[in-house]
Amino acid sequence: MRFPDGFLWGAATAAYQIEGAVAEDGRGPSIWDTFSHTPGAVLRGDTGDVACDHYHRWREDLDLLAGLGVGAYRFSVAWPRVVPAGSGPVNPAGLDFYERLVDGLLERGITPMLTLYHWDLPQALQEAGGWAERDTAEHFADYAAVVHARLGDRVPYWLTLNEPYCSAVVGHLEGRHAPGLRDERTAVTAVHHLLLAHGKAVAALRAGGVSGRVGITCNLTSVHPASDDPADVAAARRLDLHENRMYLDPLLRGAYPHDAAEHYAAVTDFAFVRDGDLEQIAAPLDFFGINYYERHHARADPGDPARGWQRVPPERPTVTGIGVHPEGLGEILDRVAKEYTSLPLVVTETGLALHDYTGPDGEIADDERIAFFDGHVRAAHDALTRGVPLIGFFPWSFMDNFEWASGYGVRYGMYYVDYPTQRRRPKRSAHWYAALIRANGLD
Ligand code: FCB
């Protein structure tokens, strides 16, 4: 099984999850600093204060990436390093860091893929209302222009947002992520302002003459009804609205889904949508990023038959409680390519959490992770053979890191990070992935 020449084999990380150095060189606080320091918010009270200390160890980390043989690296820029208060003065030292990183990648022959927002909203903007406030979208576009002015000549792939669903829903409805709110009206408002921020950032990048390709990354799920029962079918349709269509439809069709107004009528009338917003949100892109982790079977929720759903628990849950379903990746790629867009697609994340450890033989034998990636790479290849224009695949993650509300309690990396010493060691999956990249495929 071979992939096309030039297929982008990458690896992914995000700023707050790896950098540490949260108070260095003028970085301002973000909502994740505040949230992780809130008692009870993160498992064991872990924070990203030090994380993988990547801010100081980036050279060594880039060497490890080069050793893997990746053609591309997806990282994120921390908005509060570049514009510490979210709007207003720019911090050149923050830009210097990302410039060193980008140059370091290019020197090693690795293509940078830059995410502008991977959840670390400057705290000052949260205090002004955060994503519930329309102005935040404007500030994001200004920040995008600042990053582009410094790095635009060297970055071939730009992603505006990572997973607007998680920012909006996990952060504002479920309260499990920063800013830790639990209010559906605020969450739906945040969806719109995040998408608007994306649209305005695309416009800012275009106005700046961006030469790289511009996209966004959504986490998409594959949703099925648990049975033919019309109540389960309707529940699956609502779950699909909530998890997928609320993002795909505005971004790629320029309209909220036909059933959105009715579904959310109890919490909002969508008065936050202004003339021209949807045109801006649906501005043409150059590629579309997909993060895939979850496949769901939905059934009716007896406690909330009109609006609710229940996700049927997986038969064999992983340590994060979800199942392993490589076929879901194929379903999503097919759907996006058939129903939504002919844009090139990139799998910008997929991965498996484990409690990795060093065995008595000194090896970190993450065979389950290898099986996971093997299955998902095959699913991606099958999609290619069906004609899906997939151009890249980025495992989550390059190395173990701060896994948001789970802190350091679960590991996703191909490199093991021993946090007390900051030593990185390849797991078996790193060797497996390097071999896959060398062969540009699997046997
Ligand atoms: C995704 C996030 C990423 C990482 C993985 C496991 O939702 O984008 O930062 O935490 O999950």
Side-chain angles (χ1 to χ4, degrees):
M1 180 201 296
R2 292 289 164 269
F3 281 73
D5 287 344
F7 190 81
L8 279 183
W9 294 107
T13 63
Y16 188 70
Q17 296 181 274
I18 64 168
E19 287 179 0
V22 291
E24 263 178 71
D25 296 338
R27 178 187 179 278
S30 83
I31 56 174
W32 267 96
D33 296 293
T34 309
F35 189 72
S36 67
H37 282 270
T38 305
V42 174
L43 195 70
R44 300 189 306 210
D46 290 342
T47 74
D49 288 2
V50 179
C52 308
D53 194 31
H54 171 75
Y55 190 76
H56 301 114
R57 295 170 193 266
W58 60 272
R59 274 192 199 81
E60 173 198 345
D61 290 337
L62 297 193
D63 288 343
L64 295 179
L65 276 170
L68 270 182
V70 293
Y73 174 53
R74 174 175 177 238
F75 64 97
S76 81
V77 171
W79 184 350
R81 275 196 204 285
V82 174
V83 187
S87 64
V90 171
N91 174 36
L95 287 167
D96 293 345
F97 172 68
Y98 296 107
E99 183 161 56
R100 291 195 290 275
L101 192 70
V102 165
D103 288 345
L105 287 167
L106 295 172
E107 277 160 24
R108 291 166 179 79
I110 301 171
T111 299
M113 180 179 284
L114 185 159
T115 307
L116 285 163
Y117 185 70
H118 203 123
W119 306 353
D120 40 5
L121 185 75
Q123 179 62 29
L125 292 185
Q126 186 60 42
E127 274 146 37
W131 290 113
E133 248 335 290
R134 189 177 171 94
D135 287 350
T136 304
E138 208 65 61
H139 298 316
F140 180 67
D142 293 344
Y143 150 69
V146 166
V147 178
H148 178 260
R150 178 71 83 93
L151 299 174
D153 56 341
R154 278 161 283 177
V155 173
Y157 291 91
W158 294 81
L159 289 161
T160 54
L161 307 179
N162 176 67
E163 302 189 351
Y165 168 90
C166 287
S167 293
V169 173
V170 187
H172 298 78
L173 173 61
E174 299 177 359
R176 293 186 291 118
H177 283 178
L181 304 179
R182 289 168 202 263
D183 180 67
E184 192 172 12
R185 182 185 161 76
T186 309
V188 183
T189 311
V191 170
H192 185 67
H193 292 152
L194 280 153
L195 295 175
L196 188 63
H198 155 80
K200 287 179 183 291
V202 172
L205 295 174
R206 301 281 188 225
V210 65
S211 58
R213 294 177 166 194
V214 179
I216 183 173
T217 280
C218 289
N219 56 311
L220 300 177
T221 62
S222 136
V223 179
H224 301 269
S227 78
D228 299 340
D229 183 329
D232 290 346
V233 172
R237 206 177 304 123
R238 290 193 295 272
L239 180 56
D240 183 45
L241 168 72
H242 174 75
E243 294 189 327
N244 301 311
R245 291 186 284 116
M246 277 298 281
Y247 308 88
L248 290 169
D249 283 39
L251 288 166
L252 298 169
R253 291 183 181 161
Y256 281 105
H258 61 90
D259 47 348
E262 189 195 327
H263 178 72
Y264 293 106
V267 295
T268 177
D269 57 5
F270 283 77
F272 44 71
V273 179
R274 297 198 190 155
D275 281 356
D277 283 4
L278 281 150
E279 287 73 13
Q280 196 150 40
I281 289 169
L285 298 175
D286 306 308
F287 72 109
F288 191 79
I290 294 170
N291 291 355
Y292 170 67
Y293 292 91
E294 302 190 33
R295 184 170 191 257
H296 296 304
H297 284 88
R299 65 186 171 207
D301 176 359
D304 186 2
R307 290 195 73 227
W309 56 75
Q310 289 180 343
R311 299 179 182 97
V312 179
E315 270 168 39
R316 272 172 291 117
T318 65
V319 303
T320 52
I322 58 181
V324 176
H325 303 288
E327 67 278 22
L329 176 60
E331 292 163 5
I332 287 170
L333 290 169
D334 285 350
R335 179 188 194 184
V336 172
K338 278 199 196 113
E339 294 177 24
Y340 283 97
T341 182
S342 56
L343 285 173
L345 305 180
V346 176
V347 175
T348 39
E349 287 182 26
T350 189
L352 178 67
L354 294 172
H355 298 301
D356 298 295
Y357 58 90
T358 307
D361 55 358
E363 266 214 76
I364 305 158
D366 58 342
D367 297 356
E368 287 163 273
R369 183 173 289 110
I370 293 175
F372 177 98
F373 284 139
D374 182 281
H376 287 71
V377 165
R378 286 175 199 280
H381 190 268
D382 289 348
L384 267 170
T385 58
R386 290 191 299 271
V388 172
L390 182 70
I391 60 164
F393 188 98
F394 290 64
W396 184 272
S397 177
F398 160 47
M399 62 180 157
D400 297 332
N401 56 51
F402 175 79
E403 180 44 35
W404 309 114
S406 304
Y408 302 101
V410 299
R411 295 172 179 271
Y412 275 94
M414 293 181 283
Y415 276 85
Y416 183 91
V417 176
D418 178 50
Y419 293 104
T421 61
Q422 288 295 348
R423 200 168 153 224
R424 283 84 156 116
R425 292 186 51 223
K427 303 179 190 176
R428 238 181 231 168
S429 58
H431 299 302
W432 174 89
Y433 191 47
L436 177 153
I437 295 172
R438 275 196 302 276
N440 195 27
L442 287 168
D443 294 318

